[in-house]
mmCIF file of all heavy atoms in Angstrom:
data_model
loop_
_atom_site.group_PDB
_atom_site.id
_atom_site.type_symbol
_atom_site.label_atom_id
_atom_site.label_comp_id
_atom_site.label_asym_id
_atom_site.label_seq_id
_atom_site.Cartn_x
_atom_site.Cartn_y
_atom_site.Cartn_z
ATOM 1 N N TRP V 273 -63.777 130.379 -31.936
ATOM 2 C CA TRP V 273 -63.759 129.476 -33.089
ATOM 3 C C TRP V 273 -64.816 128.378 -33.020
ATOM 4 O O TRP V 273 -65.245 127.861 -34.053
ATOM 5 C CB TRP V 273 -62.372 128.850 -33.251
ATOM 6 C CG TRP V 273 -61.339 129.822 -33.703
ATOM 7 C CD1 TRP V 273 -60.251 130.259 -33.000
ATOM 8 C CD2 TRP V 273 -61.298 130.511 -34.959
ATOM 9 N NE1 TRP V 273 -59.536 131.181 -33.728
ATOM 10 C CE2 TRP V 273 -60.146 131.356 -34.929
ATOM 11 C CE3 TRP V 273 -62.112 130.504 -36.088
ATOM 12 C CZ2 TRP V 273 -59.808 132.169 -36.010
ATOM 13 C CZ3 TRP V 273 -61.777 131.330 -37.160
ATOM 14 C CH2 TRP V 273 -60.635 132.141 -37.117
ATOM 15 N N GLY V 274 -65.253 128.033 -31.823
ATOM 16 C CA GLY V 274 -66.247 126.973 -31.707
ATOM 17 C C GLY V 274 -67.680 127.447 -31.727
ATOM 18 O O GLY V 274 -68.603 126.633 -31.780
ATOM 19 N N HIS V 275 -67.892 128.768 -31.701
ATOM 20 C CA HIS V 275 -69.259 129.264 -31.547
ATOM 21 C C HIS V 275 -69.572 130.474 -32.414
ATOM 22 O O HIS V 275 -70.573 131.158 -32.174
ATOM 23 C CB HIS V 275 -69.529 129.621 -30.085
ATOM 24 C CG HIS V 275 -69.471 128.457 -29.153
ATOM 25 N ND1 HIS V 275 -68.302 128.061 -28.538
ATOM 26 C CD2 HIS V 275 -70.428 127.597 -28.744
ATOM 27 C CE1 HIS V 275 -68.545 127.007 -27.782
ATOM 28 N NE2 HIS V 275 -69.830 126.708 -27.881
ATOM 29 N N THR V 276 -68.750 130.773 -33.400
ATOM 30 C CA THR V 276 -69.013 131.905 -34.284
ATOM 31 C C THR V 276 -69.127 131.398 -35.716
ATOM 32 O O THR V 276 -68.269 130.645 -36.173
ATOM 33 C CB THR V 276 -67.892 132.963 -34.187
ATOM 34 O OG1 THR V 276 -67.655 133.288 -32.818
ATOM 35 C CG2 THR V 276 -68.300 134.238 -34.915
ATOM 36 N N SER V 277 -70.183 131.799 -36.417
ATOM 37 C CA SER V 277 -70.445 131.296 -37.761
ATOM 38 C C SER V 277 -69.458 131.857 -38.773
ATOM 39 O O SER V 277 -68.839 132.919 -38.557
ATOM 40 C CB SER V 277 -71.864 131.655 -38.197
ATOM 41 O OG SER V 277 -71.970 133.048 -38.420
ATOM 42 N N ILE V 278 -69.343 131.183 -39.884
ATOM 43 C CA ILE V 278 -68.444 131.632 -40.945
ATOM 44 C C ILE V 278 -68.895 132.987 -41.481
ATOM 45 O O ILE V 278 -68.072 133.858 -41.809
ATOM 46 C CB ILE V 278 -68.352 130.572 -42.066
ATOM 47 C CG1 ILE V 278 -67.189 130.907 -43.014
ATOM 48 C CG2 ILE V 278 -69.668 130.432 -42.820
ATOM 49 C CD1 ILE V 278 -66.857 129.768 -43.967
ATOM 50 N N GLU V 279 -70.215 133.207 -41.543
ATOM 51 C CA GLU V 279 -70.737 134.477 -42.027
ATOM 52 C C GLU V 279 -70.370 135.619 -41.073
ATOM 53 O O GLU V 279 -69.999 136.717 -41.506
ATOM 54 C CB GLU V 279 -72.261 134.401 -42.202
ATOM 55 C CG GLU V 279 -72.731 133.463 -43.293
ATOM 56 C CD GLU V 279 -72.742 132.002 -42.852
ATOM 57 O OE1 GLU V 279 -72.575 131.740 -41.629
ATOM 58 O OE2 GLU V 279 -72.906 131.141 -43.727
ATOM 59 N N MET V 280 -70.460 135.365 -39.771
ATOM 60 C CA MET V 280 -70.113 136.379 -38.785
ATOM 61 C C MET V 280 -68.620 136.698 -38.829
ATOM 62 O O MET V 280 -68.209 137.854 -38.718
ATOM 63 C CB MET V 280 -70.510 135.920 -37.389
ATOM 64 C CG MET V 280 -70.173 136.911 -36.278
ATOM 65 S SD MET V 280 -71.073 138.465 -36.404
ATOM 66 C CE MET V 280 -72.713 137.919 -35.886
ATOM 67 N N ILE V 281 -67.791 135.664 -38.995
ATOM 68 C CA ILE V 281 -66.343 135.875 -39.092
ATOM 69 C C ILE V 281 -66.018 136.745 -40.295
ATOM 70 O O ILE V 281 -65.226 137.701 -40.207
ATOM 71 C CB ILE V 281 -65.611 134.525 -39.165
ATOM 72 C CG1 ILE V 281 -65.730 133.790 -37.823
ATOM 73 C CG2 ILE V 281 -64.140 134.720 -39.549
ATOM 74 C CD1 ILE V 281 -65.256 132.353 -37.871
ATOM 75 N N GLN V 282 -66.612 136.436 -41.436
ATOM 76 C CA GLN V 282 -66.366 137.219 -42.646
ATOM 77 C C GLN V 282 -66.803 138.669 -42.460
ATOM 78 O O GLN V 282 -66.091 139.612 -42.846
ATOM 79 C CB GLN V 282 -67.124 136.597 -43.823
ATOM 80 C CG GLN V 282 -66.549 135.278 -44.284
ATOM 81 C CD GLN V 282 -67.455 134.574 -45.284
ATOM 82 O OE1 GLN V 282 -68.681 134.725 -45.241
ATOM 83 N NE2 GLN V 282 -66.856 133.818 -46.186
ATOM 84 N N THR V 283 -67.972 138.851 -41.841
ATOM 85 C CA THR V 283 -68.494 140.202 -41.636
ATOM 86 C C THR V 283 -67.590 141.012 -40.716
ATOM 87 O O THR V 283 -67.252 142.174 -41.002
ATOM 88 C CB THR V 283 -69.909 140.147 -41.037
ATOM 89 O OG1 THR V 283 -70.790 139.506 -41.970
ATOM 90 C CG2 THR V 283 -70.436 141.539 -40.723
ATOM 91 N N MET V 284 -67.170 140.408 -39.593
ATOM 92 C CA MET V 284 -66.329 141.136 -38.645
ATOM 93 C C MET V 284 -64.946 141.424 -39.216
ATOM 94 O O MET V 284 -64.365 142.484 -38.947
ATOM 95 C CB MET V 284 -66.240 140.373 -37.319
ATOM 96 C CG MET V 284 -67.530 140.413 -36.527
ATOM 97 S SD MET V 284 -67.339 139.969 -34.772
ATOM 98 C CE MET V 284 -67.054 138.204 -34.889
ATOM 99 N N ALA V 285 -64.398 140.501 -39.996
ATOM 100 C CA ALA V 285 -63.087 140.728 -40.609
ATOM 101 C C ALA V 285 -63.160 141.854 -41.637
ATOM 102 O O ALA V 285 -62.286 142.733 -41.683
ATOM 103 C CB ALA V 285 -62.578 139.442 -41.248
ATOM 104 N N SER V 286 -64.208 141.853 -42.449
ATOM 105 C CA SER V 286 -64.373 142.918 -43.441
ATOM 106 C C SER V 286 -64.583 144.267 -42.767
ATOM 107 O O SER V 286 -64.045 145.284 -43.206
ATOM 108 C CB SER V 286 -65.561 142.594 -44.364
ATOM 109 O OG SER V 286 -65.319 141.421 -45.113
ATOM 110 N N GLN V 287 -65.359 144.270 -41.684
ATOM 111 C CA GLN V 287 -65.607 145.504 -40.954
ATOM 112 C C GLN V 287 -64.335 146.027 -40.289
ATOM 113 O O GLN V 287 -64.109 147.238 -40.201
ATOM 114 C CB GLN V 287 -66.694 145.289 -39.895
ATOM 115 C CG GLN V 287 -67.299 146.573 -39.344
ATOM 116 C CD GLN V 287 -68.120 147.321 -40.391
ATOM 117 O OE1 GLN V 287 -68.707 146.714 -41.278
ATOM 118 N NE2 GLN V 287 -68.130 148.644 -40.296
ATOM 119 N N THR V 288 -63.498 145.100 -39.829
ATOM 120 C CA THR V 288 -62.206 145.479 -39.250
ATOM 121 C C THR V 288 -61.368 146.263 -40.248
ATOM 122 O O THR V 288 -60.775 147.305 -39.911
ATOM 123 C CB THR V 288 -61.442 144.227 -38.779
ATOM 124 O OG1 THR V 288 -62.149 143.628 -37.682
ATOM 125 C CG2 THR V 288 -60.026 144.566 -38.329
ATOM 126 N N ILE V 289 -61.318 145.759 -41.485
ATOM 127 C CA ILE V 289 -60.574 146.458 -42.538
ATOM 128 C C ILE V 289 -61.215 147.811 -42.830
ATOM 129 O O ILE V 289 -60.539 148.841 -42.904
ATOM 130 C CB ILE V 289 -60.535 145.599 -43.817
ATOM 131 C CG1 ILE V 289 -59.751 144.301 -43.583
ATOM 132 C CG2 ILE V 289 -59.922 146.402 -44.974
ATOM 133 C CD1 ILE V 289 -58.293 144.496 -43.287
ATOM 134 N N HIS V 290 -62.524 147.814 -42.987
ATOM 135 C CA HIS V 290 -63.249 149.041 -43.335
ATOM 136 C C HIS V 290 -63.062 150.126 -42.286
ATOM 137 O O HIS V 290 -62.883 151.310 -42.615
ATOM 138 C CB HIS V 290 -64.738 148.730 -43.498
ATOM 139 C CG HIS V 290 -65.583 149.930 -43.821
ATOM 140 N ND1 HIS V 290 -66.175 150.717 -42.847
ATOM 141 C CD2 HIS V 290 -65.916 150.491 -45.017
ATOM 142 C CE1 HIS V 290 -66.836 151.702 -43.422
ATOM 143 N NE2 HIS V 290 -66.702 151.589 -44.735
ATOM 144 N N ASP V 291 -63.082 149.744 -40.996
ATOM 145 C CA ASP V 291 -63.029 150.719 -39.907
ATOM 146 C C ASP V 291 -61.603 151.073 -39.478
ATOM 147 O O ASP V 291 -61.412 151.929 -38.610
ATOM 148 C CB ASP V 291 -63.795 150.192 -38.688
ATOM 149 C CG ASP V 291 -65.284 150.068 -38.949
ATOM 150 O OD1 ASP V 291 -65.779 150.720 -39.899
ATOM 151 O OD2 ASP V 291 -65.959 149.308 -38.223
ATOM 152 N N GLY V 292 -60.614 150.389 -40.032
ATOM 153 C CA GLY V 292 -59.233 150.734 -39.738
ATOM 154 C C GLY V 292 -58.690 150.197 -38.428
ATOM 155 O O GLY V 292 -57.696 150.728 -37.912
ATOM 156 N N TYR V 293 -59.309 149.146 -37.901
ATOM 157 C CA TYR V 293 -58.770 148.540 -36.687
ATOM 158 C C TYR V 293 -57.565 147.670 -37.038
ATOM 159 O O TYR V 293 -57.486 147.096 -38.127
ATOM 160 C CB TYR V 293 -59.831 147.685 -35.983
ATOM 161 C CG TYR V 293 -60.911 148.510 -35.346
ATOM 162 C CD1 TYR V 293 -62.194 148.554 -35.880
ATOM 163 C CD2 TYR V 293 -60.655 149.266 -34.200
ATOM 164 C CE1 TYR V 293 -63.190 149.322 -35.307
ATOM 165 C CE2 TYR V 293 -61.646 150.039 -33.617
ATOM 166 C CZ TYR V 293 -62.913 150.064 -34.169
ATOM 167 O OH TYR V 293 -63.888 150.833 -33.593
ATOM 168 N N GLY V 294 -56.621 147.570 -36.091
ATOM 169 C CA GLY V 294 -55.377 146.880 -36.390
ATOM 170 C C GLY V 294 -55.235 145.494 -35.821
ATOM 171 O O GLY V 294 -54.201 144.852 -36.012
ATOM 172 N N VAL V 295 -56.271 144.996 -35.114
ATOM 173 C CA VAL V 295 -56.191 143.679 -34.481
ATOM 174 C C VAL V 295 -57.478 142.906 -34.737
ATOM 175 O O VAL V 295 -58.571 143.487 -34.756
ATOM 176 C CB VAL V 295 -55.971 143.793 -32.953
ATOM 177 C CG1 VAL V 295 -55.729 142.413 -32.353
ATOM 178 C CG2 VAL V 295 -54.820 144.723 -32.625
ATOM 179 N N PHE V 296 -57.333 141.593 -34.915
ATOM 180 C CA PHE V 296 -58.480 140.681 -35.009
ATOM 181 C C PHE V 296 -58.245 139.586 -33.981
ATOM 182 O O PHE V 296 -57.336 138.776 -34.112
ATOM 183 C CB PHE V 296 -58.591 140.091 -36.413
ATOM 184 C CG PHE V 296 -59.918 139.447 -36.703
ATOM 185 C CD1 PHE V 296 -60.981 140.210 -37.170
ATOM 186 C CD2 PHE V 296 -60.108 138.084 -36.500
ATOM 187 C CE1 PHE V 296 -62.209 139.616 -37.455
ATOM 188 C CE2 PHE V 296 -61.327 137.491 -36.772
ATOM 189 C CZ PHE V 296 -62.385 138.255 -37.254
ATOM 190 N N MET V 297 -59.053 139.576 -32.912
ATOM 191 C CA MET V 297 -58.816 138.673 -31.780
ATOM 192 C C MET V 297 -59.723 137.443 -31.845
ATOM 193 O O MET V 297 -60.912 137.550 -32.111
ATOM 194 C CB MET V 297 -59.066 139.419 -30.459
ATOM 195 C CG MET V 297 -58.641 138.639 -29.215
ATOM 196 S SD MET V 297 -59.938 137.529 -28.590
ATOM 197 C CE MET V 297 -61.083 138.684 -27.861
ATOM 198 N N THR V 298 -59.119 136.259 -31.584
ATOM 199 C CA THR V 298 -59.864 135.007 -31.607
ATOM 200 C C THR V 298 -59.510 134.153 -30.394
ATOM 201 O O THR V 298 -58.497 134.368 -29.743
ATOM 202 C CB THR V 298 -59.569 134.214 -32.895
ATOM 203 O OG1 THR V 298 -58.221 133.698 -32.841
ATOM 204 C CG2 THR V 298 -59.746 135.080 -34.132
ATOM 205 N N TYR V 299 -60.339 133.145 -30.141
ATOM 206 C CA TYR V 299 -60.206 132.350 -28.922
ATOM 207 C C TYR V 299 -60.524 130.872 -29.172
ATOM 208 O O TYR V 299 -61.389 130.535 -29.974
ATOM 209 C CB TYR V 299 -61.164 132.901 -27.861
ATOM 210 C CG TYR V 299 -61.445 131.984 -26.696
ATOM 211 C CD1 TYR V 299 -60.471 131.739 -25.735
ATOM 212 C CD2 TYR V 299 -62.678 131.368 -26.565
ATOM 213 C CE1 TYR V 299 -60.728 130.899 -24.668
ATOM 214 C CE2 TYR V 299 -62.953 130.528 -25.498
ATOM 215 C CZ TYR V 299 -61.978 130.297 -24.547
ATOM 216 O OH TYR V 299 -62.240 129.455 -23.503
ATOM 217 N N ASP V 300 -59.787 130.022 -28.451
ATOM 218 C CA ASP V 300 -60.051 128.581 -28.377
ATOM 219 C C ASP V 300 -59.871 127.854 -29.704
ATOM 220 O O ASP V 300 -60.700 127.035 -30.099
ATOM 221 C CB ASP V 300 -61.447 128.314 -27.812
ATOM 222 C CG ASP V 300 -61.559 126.916 -27.193
ATOM 223 O OD1 ASP V 300 -60.509 126.317 -26.887
ATOM 224 O OD2 ASP V 300 -62.697 126.426 -27.014
ATOM 225 N N LEU V 301 -58.763 128.135 -30.380
ATOM 226 C CA LEU V 301 -58.392 127.368 -31.570
ATOM 227 C C LEU V 301 -58.040 125.948 -31.140
ATOM 228 O O LEU V 301 -57.367 125.742 -30.134
ATOM 229 C CB LEU V 301 -57.194 128.005 -32.250
ATOM 230 C CG LEU V 301 -56.753 127.399 -33.575
ATOM 231 C CD1 LEU V 301 -57.728 127.785 -34.694
ATOM 232 C CD2 LEU V 301 -55.336 127.863 -33.929
ATOM 233 N N ARG V 302 -58.502 124.970 -31.919
ATOM 234 C CA ARG V 302 -58.229 123.564 -31.623
ATOM 235 C C ARG V 302 -57.803 122.837 -32.901
ATOM 236 O O ARG V 302 -58.020 123.331 -34.003
ATOM 237 C CB ARG V 302 -59.459 122.871 -31.035
ATOM 238 C CG ARG V 302 -60.047 123.565 -29.814
ATOM 239 C CD ARG V 302 -61.117 122.722 -29.166
ATOM 240 N NE ARG V 302 -61.763 123.421 -28.056
ATOM 241 C CZ ARG V 302 -62.379 122.809 -27.058
ATOM 242 N NH1 ARG V 302 -62.445 121.484 -27.029
ATOM 243 N NH2 ARG V 302 -62.955 123.511 -26.089
ATOM 244 N N VAL V 303 -57.215 121.653 -32.720
ATOM 245 C CA VAL V 303 -56.890 120.812 -33.879
ATOM 246 C C VAL V 303 -58.149 120.533 -34.683
ATOM 247 O O VAL V 303 -58.117 120.438 -35.908
ATOM 248 C CB VAL V 303 -56.228 119.498 -33.413
ATOM 249 C CG1 VAL V 303 -56.146 118.501 -34.560
ATOM 250 C CG2 VAL V 303 -54.827 119.772 -32.876
ATOM 251 N N SER V 304 -59.287 120.424 -33.989
ATOM 252 C CA SER V 304 -60.554 120.109 -34.637
ATOM 253 C C SER V 304 -61.258 121.322 -35.236
ATOM 254 O O SER V 304 -62.317 121.180 -35.849
ATOM 255 C CB SER V 304 -61.493 119.436 -33.631
ATOM 256 O OG SER V 304 -61.739 120.288 -32.521
ATOM 257 N N THR V 305 -60.705 122.533 -35.078
ATOM 258 C CA THR V 305 -61.325 123.730 -35.656
ATOM 259 C C THR V 305 -61.422 123.589 -37.168
ATOM 260 O O THR V 305 -60.447 123.226 -37.830
ATOM 261 C CB THR V 305 -60.520 124.988 -35.294
ATOM 262 O OG1 THR V 305 -60.549 125.169 -33.876
ATOM 263 C CG2 THR V 305 -61.118 126.222 -35.964
#
Side-chain angles (χ1 to χ4, degrees):
W273 290 114
H275 296 89
T276 309
S277 70
I278 192 168
E279 293 80 11
M280 179 64 73
I281 291 170
Q282 289 170 330
T283 297
M284 288 197 288
S286 296
Q287 196 68 31
T288 294
I289 295 295
H290 179 270
D291 294 340
Y293 289 108
V295 187
F296 195 86
M297 189 273 287
T298 71
Y299 163 72
D300 203 19
L301 185 74
R302 306 189 185 204
V303 168
S304 60
T305 297

